[in-house]
Amino acid sequence: MPARVAPSAARVEHSRIREIAHIAMGMPGTLKLYSGESSTPTPEYIRRAAQKAMADGYLFYTENAGLPSLRRCLADSYRKLHGVELDPEREIVVTASGVQALNVAIRCTIDPGDEALVLTPAWPNGAASVALANGVPRMVPHVLAGARYEIDFDALEAALTPRTRLVIYTSPSNPLGWVATGADQDRLLEFARRHELWLLADEVYERLVYREPLGAPAPSILKKATREDAVIVVQSFSKTYCMTGWRVGWLVARRDLAEKAAQLNEFIISHAPSFAQRAAEAALVWGEIELKKMLARYKENRDTCLAMLKKAPGVTVPEPEGAFYLFPRVEGMTDSFAFCRRLLEETSVGLAPGVAFGAGGEGSIRICYAAEREIVKPAMERLVAFLQEPSANCGRR
Ligand SMILES: Cc1ncc(COP(=O)(O)O)c(C=O)c1O
């Protein structure tokens, strides 16, 4: 048989957000609200910390679990933010991004043929990582109850099979902006304990919450779980500190899993870049003032976009409590990819199609409002005008 790409790899689907990005990249002048990052560059104090780290010789390999000093900073941060005590040596693993934390955590919980329940609409990498581990993702959509998304616990129970090993949820959610309540977390934990499953919480947007006082984090599952629970938290420096290009994240997990994840890092990536880990320490220690300023800007953008969308015909948009996305549902839309493509080609506004986010996503579009006002406002004006054109409907009646 001729050499070929392994069918298990070939089966992993493209990201539909990337498909839009790909078209947009060939179109200069696009107002880009499709990606999951801020247009603000990494703050100067973090860049200076990286330069200093290079001058100080952080140019060599580090531990697979990351620099001990960074893990200690992370443990300090959990104590301060959540009153949670963690063992930095055995319960925290630094990773080369949130994506890599997710990937290694899933690799440690899923054998070929095992199943994972993934709460959707969700950023596609959770389900894709399950598929990469030759597992089977089973999507369970959130349901809209009035103005708020909720977890459908009956659907979760119904989706269980003897092969289920893992539940993945994201709070604050990309793309919904939904934030799990304490009661949601209690029920998820009880569900995972009762069925002896791993519970993986993607808390990458933990610091991007718009309740007062600004800067207070979303509740972490680590506050509810004991250190003996089969719980994993995936985290990242990307969103809180505008460090998407730096590739530094971490995970917190029960000791046996954390130990295995650190060991597997050796064969996947070895570790996150050494000087970037030092810069991440600076972000944790000095980042609060910048973070609060950024939150105030995002909140203003969120409110502007919400007000404009509320005037658009046939649009339902629950108020997001966290992250930096809006996920409006457009009445009658059946092909969000075609909608986003036409919007891009005709108005130069780039949005992400809801279909990219799995079950429950079709019929919506995702708007990332973490850009300058000079981009967000005209983009929203063009979107609202486009929504008013009957020819733009892409399946709308
Ligand atoms: C929900 C969620 N988790 C994890 C990540 C990963 O972030 P990174 O790999 O940049 O750390 C993202 C990025 O968009 C995300 O939206």
Side-chain angles (χ1 to χ4, degrees):
M1 202 200 293
R4 56 173 191 176
V5 172
S8 59
R11 269 196 301 275
V12 177
E13 287 175 13
H14 286 279
S15 156
R16 309 238 48 208
I17 312 170
R18 275 276 160 191
E19 281 183 52
I20 288 288
H22 194 71
I23 307 169
M25 276 167 190
M27 295 177 55
T30 302
L31 302 178
K32 292 181 194 150
L33 303 185
Y34 54 73
S35 69
E37 66 182 344
S38 167
S39 56
T40 309
T42 312
E44 186 58 36
Y45 73 92
I46 299 176
R47 289 191 261 168
R48 274 204 304 271
Q51 284 157 2
K52 180 168 185 315
M54 285 191 218
D56 289 349
Y58 284 88
L59 303 166
F60 298 94
Y61 291 134
T62 73
E63 291 79 351
N64 294 138
L67 287 170
S69 51
L70 175 55
R71 282 180 275 148
R72 281 196 298 275
C73 281
L74 286 164
D76 287 348
S77 163
Y78 275 102
R79 187 176 309 115
K80 262 189 240 143
L81 286 174
H82 298 287
V84 166
E85 286 298 328
L86 294 174
D87 178 347
E89 282 176 25
R90 298 179 66 193
E91 290 165 346
I92 301 177
V93 179
V94 175
T95 57
S97 75
V99 172
Q100 200 245 312
L102 193 61
N103 200 274
V104 74
I106 289 171
R107 182 65 192 81
C108 289
T109 49
I110 292 284
D111 267 335
D114 284 346
E115 296 178 12
L117 304 178
V118 185
L119 293 193
T120 59
W123 180 65
N125 287 41
S129 284
V130 172
L132 266 182
N134 292 308
V136 182
R138 300 254 177 244
M139 299 187 192
V140 179
H142 285 268
V143 285
L144 193 55
R148 199 173 185 280
Y149 283 99
E150 286 183 357
I151 301 172
D152 188 343
F153 282 95
D154 293 338
L156 267 183
E157 296 279 354
L160 272 173
T161 77
R163 294 303 302 263
T164 311
R165 300 280 176 268
L166 169 69
V167 184
I168 304 176
Y169 77 101
T170 312
S171 171
S173 154
N174 169 9
L176 301 177
W178 166 87
V179 178
T181 61
D184 292 331
Q185 291 176 327
D186 285 336
R187 283 189 76 180
L188 282 168
L189 205 48
E190 187 277 325
F191 176 79
R193 283 174 181 155
R194 181 156 44 87
H195 297 293
E196 300 186 313
L197 307 173
W198 283 96
L199 180 62
L200 188 157
D202 182 333
E203 298 187 350
V204 158
Y205 295 93
E206 175 203 42
R207 301 302 311 275
L208 306 186
V209 179
Y210 304 105
R211 299 178 194 136
E212 296 295 339
L214 276 188
S220 172
I221 192 72
L222 295 171
K223 180 105 183 165
K224 300 269 183 185
T226 71
R227 299 293 73 84
E228 306 311 317
D229 273 312
V231 164
I232 308 166
V233 166
V234 162
Q235 263 286 12
S236 172
F237 287 87
S238 286
K239 316 292 174 172
T240 311
Y241 303 106
C242 303
M243 290 176 71
T244 47
W246 297 66
R247 314 317 291 142
V248 195
W250 73 94
L251 60 81
V252 178
R254 203 175 70 190
R255 290 171 180 200
D256 52 347
L257 190 134
E259 188 186 342
K260 190 40 85 174
Q263 185 218 331
L264 293 199
N265 261 0
E266 173 64 19
F267 307 117
I268 300 170
I269 184 83
S270 298
H271 57 78
S274 312
F275 49 87
Q277 292 189 55
R278 286 294 280 178
E281 281 177 37
L284 285 174
V285 175
W286 303 109
E288 291 302 302
I289 295 172
E290 289 274 354
L291 173 65
K292 282 182 193 148
K293 284 193 218 154
M294 184 173 86
L295 282 171
R297 280 202 312 277
Y298 289 173
K299 187 167 191 274
E300 236 181 85
N301 280 359
R302 181 198 69 161
D303 293 345
T304 306
C305 294
L306 270 174
M308 291 174 80
L309 280 173
K310 281 186 178 150
K311 288 189 206 133
V315 170
T316 321
V317 55
E319 182 172 310
E321 298 162 284
F324 43 46
Y325 308 103
L326 287 158
F327 200 61
R329 174 158 284 280
V330 182
E331 195 186 305
M333 185 205 282
T334 53
D335 187 346
S336 54
F337 187 84
F339 179 93
C340 287
R341 191 182 189 129
R342 282 197 59 193
L343 179 76
L344 180 62
E345 287 166 352
E346 292 176 25
T347 72
S348 296
V349 173
L351 301 183
V355 68
F357 301 91
E362 185 52 289
S364 296
I365 44 180
R366 189 193 71 176
I367 301 164
C368 172
Y369 54 80
E372 288 87 20
R373 260 182 110 65
E374 297 72 45
I375 296 174
V376 173
K377 202 145 178 276
M380 292 302 295
E381 279 161 6
R382 290 185 211 174
L383 169 66
V384 171
F386 186 78
L387 282 165
Q388 275 154 356
E389 285 173 28
S391 64
N393 58 25
C394 295
R396 293 172 73 195
R397 283 178 291 275

